[in-house]
Amino acid sequence: ALIQASCAFFLLPESPIWLLRHRNNESALRALKRLRGVSGDVVSSSVQSEFHSMQLAHESDQKKETNQSNGWAALLEPEIRGMLFVCIFLQIFQQLSGINAVVYYTPHTLKLAGVPRLFRRFGIPQNSAAILASALAYAPKIPTLLVAMRLMDSLGRRALLQLFIPCMAVCLFSLAGVFSHLNGQQPVSLDSSGGSPPSWIPPTIALAGLSLYGVFFSLSLGPIPNIISSELFPARCRSAAMTCSLASQYIFNTLVGFAFPILVQQFGSEVVFGGFGVMCVCAFIFVQKFVHETSGSELN
């Protein structure tokens, strides 16, 4: 946290739009040059063009603001209210897909799925094996973030949601299937026995499903709700709208995190993970109906 705060304090410039709104044009241009990686006194044509468009948009906003509300009051306008509805529900679906319940309880979930048995031959204790499996499950998320940065503008935000939310649902339903299969069973061997599948298959499916779920989340519902929230709103109410959007995320994060162990105890893991999968299906339908592409659109 201290490293992050230090980087923000020393490396992150002030928002050019905020500086323009406070009549500090020179600082706004310097901030934009810094954000675009332009050094020295020379201003590239692309930066100059972008800065000019920002000035025009700011002047246009100032003219409109005489007849329009700002800040929190602007959220009551029908058009802004509709955009806020989209952003809040994207944040809600992000949490109802189960991501933080999975993250908070990954070792416990993997133990319930029998994943530590896969490491038994290496002499690793159950708890240590669960932590090791958690690390293996989340390792692919690191390079996935780099892929997401590349795809965000090439494919677009809406296309990534449409492509990877169904993949998240498949992973969650596979986890639900594993827990349903293991419910009430106590396999004692990793070999095939009778008509049952070898006992290494369900834990392997659980580990792969959990890992791929994290990958697909990082490509869709992970970053995109926040990106869309920052792109949809005009400058006059962007901060208030972002506050509402992020507040809904944290509220449902808390609710899901507290409710997950209670629901698992009450209904079983197969029902809870199946419910997360159903929420992903609902999120996909919501994206199809309400979410429009913002990639390539001007911020103002």
Side-chain angles (χ1 to χ4, degrees):
L2 288 174
I3 294 174
Q4 185 179 19
S6 299
C7 290
F9 184 80
F10 292 107
L11 301 178
L12 188 66
E14 186 56 82
S15 164
I17 295 176
W18 186 89
L19 291 169
L20 279 175
R21 292 178 67 86
H22 288 77
R23 306 179 186 281
N24 198 337
N25 289 15
E26 291 184 4
S27 297
L29 181 57
R30 285 198 301 270
L32 183 62
K33 286 172 56 181
R34 188 174 174 185
L35 287 170
R36 297 295 176 257
V38 177
S39 58
D41 297 329
V42 179
V43 181
S44 65
S45 58
S46 60
V47 171
Q48 188 64 54
S49 175
E50 184 178 2
F51 184 69
H52 181 63
S53 66
M54 290 172 62
Q55 286 180 305
L56 293 176
H58 171 60
E59 292 170 2
S60 175
D61 283 345
Q62 283 187 315
K63 293 177 182 177
K64 292 178 182 178
E65 283 175 2
T66 57
N67 300 318
Q68 291 180 319
S69 302
N70 297 316
W72 295 97
L75 301 183
L76 300 177
E77 297 175 12
E79 183 181 2
I80 302 298
R81 195 166 61 234
M83 293 188 287
L84 187 61
F85 162 81
V86 170
C87 293
I88 286 177
F89 269 86
L90 279 177
Q91 301 282 18
I92 291 173
F93 281 124
Q94 180 196 74
Q95 297 304 314
L96 293 183
S97 71
I99 181 60
N100 283 312
V102 171
V103 170
Y104 298 156
Y105 301 99
T106 296
H108 178 69
T109 300
L110 292 177
K111 285 171 66 175
L112 290 178
V115 173
R117 291 202 306 272
L118 299 175
F119 300 89
R120 186 184 301 164
R121 67 183 65 184
F122 302 107
I124 302 176
Q126 186 181 44
N127 290 335
S128 298
I131 295 174
L132 175 60
S134 300
L136 293 175
Y138 287 116
K141 290 184 67 176
I142 299 173
T144 299
L145 293 174
L146 301 177
V147 176
M149 292 169 61
R150 179 77 176 177
L151 295 179
M152 201 64 64
D153 290 317
S154 59
L155 287 183
R157 291 87 162 109
R158 187 171 187 266
L160 288 175
L161 292 173
Q162 291 172 317
L163 182 60
F164 292 113
I165 288 178
C167 297
M168 290 173 57
V170 170
C171 293
L172 290 166
F173 287 134
S174 69
L175 283 166
V178 166
F179 286 117
S180 179
H181 172 76
L182 294 177
N183 188 25
Q185 295 189 5
Q186 295 293 331
V188 296
S189 173
L190 294 179
D191 300 322
S192 179
S193 177
S196 300
S199 61
W200 60 267
I201 291 181
T204 302
I205 293 175
L207 182 59
L210 201 65
S211 180
L212 290 173
Y213 167 78
V215 167
F216 297 142
F217 179 85
S218 297
L219 290 167
S220 56
L221 280 177
I224 292 178
N226 288 338
I227 293 174
I228 290 180
S229 295
S230 68
E231 293 175 336
L232 275 184
F233 301 97
R236 60 191 175 89
C237 65
R238 187 174 298 140
S239 58
M242 283 288 294
T243 300
C244 291
S245 176
L246 291 172
S248 64
Q249 179 193 117
Y250 286 115
I251 289 170
F252 277 83
N253 179 350
T254 303
L255 292 175
V256 172
F258 277 114
F260 178 74
I262 300 172
L263 294 174
V264 168
Q265 181 71 26
Q266 186 72 25
F267 301 106
S269 296
E270 63 273 21
V271 174
V272 176
F273 279 95
F276 289 152
V278 170
M279 287 296 103
C280 286
V281 173
C282 295
F284 176 76
I285 296 172
F286 180 84
V287 169
Q288 291 288 97
K289 188 171 179 62
F290 295 107
V291 178
H292 300 285
E293 184 57 67
T294 59
S295 177
S297 302
E298 290 189 2
L299 190 60
N300 291 293

